[in-house]
CSV table of all heavy atoms in Angstrom, one decimal:
chain,number,residue,atom,x,y,z
A,225,TYR,N,-10.4,27.7,-8.1
A,225,TYR,CA,-10.3,29.0,-7.5
A,225,TYR,C,-11.4,29.8,-8.2
A,225,TYR,O,-11.3,30.1,-9.4
A,225,TYR,CB,-9.0,29.6,-7.8
A,225,TYR,CG,-7.8,29.0,-7.1
A,225,TYR,CD1,-6.9,28.2,-7.7
A,225,TYR,CD2,-7.6,29.3,-5.7
A,225,TYR,CE1,-5.8,27.7,-7.1
A,225,TYR,CE2,-6.5,28.8,-5.1
A,225,TYR,CZ,-5.6,28.0,-5.8
A,225,TYR,OH,-4.5,27.5,-5.1
A,230,ALA,N,-8.0,24.7,-11.3
A,230,ALA,CA,-6.6,24.9,-11.4
A,230,ALA,C,-5.9,23.5,-11.4
A,230,ALA,O,-4.7,23.5,-11.8
A,230,ALA,CB,-6.1,25.7,-10.1
A,250,ASN,N,5.3,27.6,-14.8
A,250,ASN,CA,4.6,28.4,-13.9
A,250,ASN,C,3.1,28.3,-14.1
A,250,ASN,O,2.6,28.3,-15.2
A,250,ASN,CB,5.0,29.9,-14.1
A,250,ASN,CG,6.4,30.2,-13.8
A,250,ASN,OD1,7.2,30.6,-14.7
A,250,ASN,ND2,6.8,30.0,-12.6
A,251,GLY,N,2.4,28.2,-13.0
A,251,GLY,CA,0.9,28.1,-13.1
A,251,GLY,C,0.4,26.7,-13.5
A,251,GLY,O,-0.8,26.5,-13.7
A,252,ALA,N,1.3,25.7,-13.5
A,252,ALA,CA,0.9,24.3,-13.9
A,252,ALA,C,0.0,23.6,-12.8
A,252,ALA,O,-0.6,22.7,-13.1
A,252,ALA,CB,2.1,23.5,-14.2
A,253,GLY,N,0.1,24.2,-11.6
A,253,GLY,CA,-0.7,23.6,-10.5
A,253,GLY,C,0.1,22.9,-9.4
A,253,GLY,O,-0.4,22.2,-8.5
A,254,LYS,N,1.4,23.0,-9.4
A,254,LYS,CA,2.3,22.3,-8.5
A,254,LYS,C,2.1,22.7,-7.1
A,254,LYS,O,1.9,21.9,-6.2
A,254,LYS,CB,3.8,22.6,-8.9
A,254,LYS,CG,4.1,22.3,-10.3
A,254,LYS,CD,5.6,22.5,-10.7
A,254,LYS,CE,6.0,24.0,-10.5
A,254,LYS,NZ,5.4,24.9,-11.4
A,255,SER,N,2.1,24.1,-6.8
A,255,SER,CA,1.8,24.5,-5.4
A,255,SER,C,0.4,24.2,-5.0
A,255,SER,O,0.1,23.8,-3.9
A,255,SER,CB,2.0,26.0,-5.3
A,255,SER,OG,3.3,26.4,-5.6
A,256,THR,N,-0.5,24.3,-6.0
A,256,THR,CA,-1.9,23.9,-5.7
A,256,THR,C,-2.0,22.5,-5.2
A,256,THR,O,-2.8,22.2,-4.2
A,256,THR,CB,-2.8,24.2,-6.9
A,256,THR,OG1,-2.7,25.5,-7.3
A,256,THR,CG2,-4.2,23.8,-6.7
A,300,GLU,N,6.1,27.4,-0.6
A,300,GLU,CA,6.8,28.3,-1.4
A,300,GLU,C,7.0,29.5,-0.6
A,300,GLU,O,6.1,30.1,0.0
A,300,GLU,CB,5.9,28.6,-2.6
A,300,GLU,CG,6.6,28.7,-3.9
A,300,GLU,CD,5.6,29.0,-5.1
A,300,GLU,OE1,4.4,28.7,-4.9
A,300,GLU,OE2,6.1,29.4,-6.1
A,376,GLU,N,9.3,24.0,-4.1
A,376,GLU,CA,10.5,24.7,-4.7
A,376,GLU,C,11.5,25.1,-3.7
A,376,GLU,O,11.8,26.3,-3.6
A,376,GLU,CB,9.9,25.9,-5.5
A,376,GLU,CG,8.9,25.5,-6.6
A,376,GLU,CD,8.9,26.4,-7.8
A,376,GLU,OE1,9.9,27.1,-8.0
A,376,GLU,OE2,7.8,26.4,-8.4
A,408,GLN,N,11.2,23.6,-10.0
A,408,GLN,CA,11.3,24.2,-11.4
A,408,GLN,C,12.6,23.8,-12.0
A,408,GLN,O,12.8,23.7,-13.2
A,408,GLN,CB,11.2,25.7,-11.3
A,408,GLN,CG,9.9,26.2,-11.0
A,408,GLN,CD,9.4,27.3,-12.0
A,408,GLN,OE1,10.1,27.5,-13.0
A,408,GLN,NE2,8.4,27.9,-11.7
B,591,ATP,N1,-5.0,31.9,-4.4
B,591,ATP,C1,-5.3,31.8,-5.7
B,591,ATP,N2,-6.4,32.4,-6.2
B,591,ATP,C2,-6.7,32.3,-7.5
B,591,ATP,N3,-6.0,31.5,-8.4
B,591,ATP,C3,-4.9,30.9,-8.0
B,591,ATP,C4,-4.5,31.0,-6.6
B,591,ATP,N4,-3.4,30.3,-6.5
B,591,ATP,C5,-3.1,29.8,-7.7
B,591,ATP,N5,-4.0,30.1,-8.6
B,591,ATP,C6,-4.1,29.7,-10.0
B,591,ATP,O1,-4.0,28.3,-10.1
B,591,ATP,C7,-3.2,27.9,-11.1
B,591,ATP,C8,-2.0,27.0,-10.6
B,591,ATP,O2,-1.2,27.8,-9.7
B,591,ATP,P1,0.0,27.2,-8.8
B,591,ATP,O3,0.4,28.3,-7.9
B,591,ATP,O4,-0.4,25.9,-8.3
B,591,ATP,O5,1.1,27.0,-10.0
B,591,ATP,P2,2.6,26.5,-9.8
B,591,ATP,O6,2.7,25.3,-10.7
B,591,ATP,O7,2.9,26.3,-8.4
B,591,ATP,O8,3.4,27.7,-10.5
B,591,ATP,P3,4.8,28.3,-10.0
B,591,ATP,O9,5.8,27.5,-10.6
B,591,ATP,O10,4.7,29.7,-10.6
B,591,ATP,O11,4.9,28.4,-8.5
B,591,ATP,C9,-2.6,29.1,-11.8
B,591,ATP,O12,-3.4,29.4,-12.9
B,591,ATP,C10,-2.9,30.2,-10.7
B,591,ATP,O13,-3.1,31.5,-11.3
Side-chain angles (χ1 to χ4, degrees):
Y225 290 105
N250 295 119
K254 307 180 298 294
S255 297
T256 300
E300 218 175 341
E376 302 207 26
Q408 286 230 13

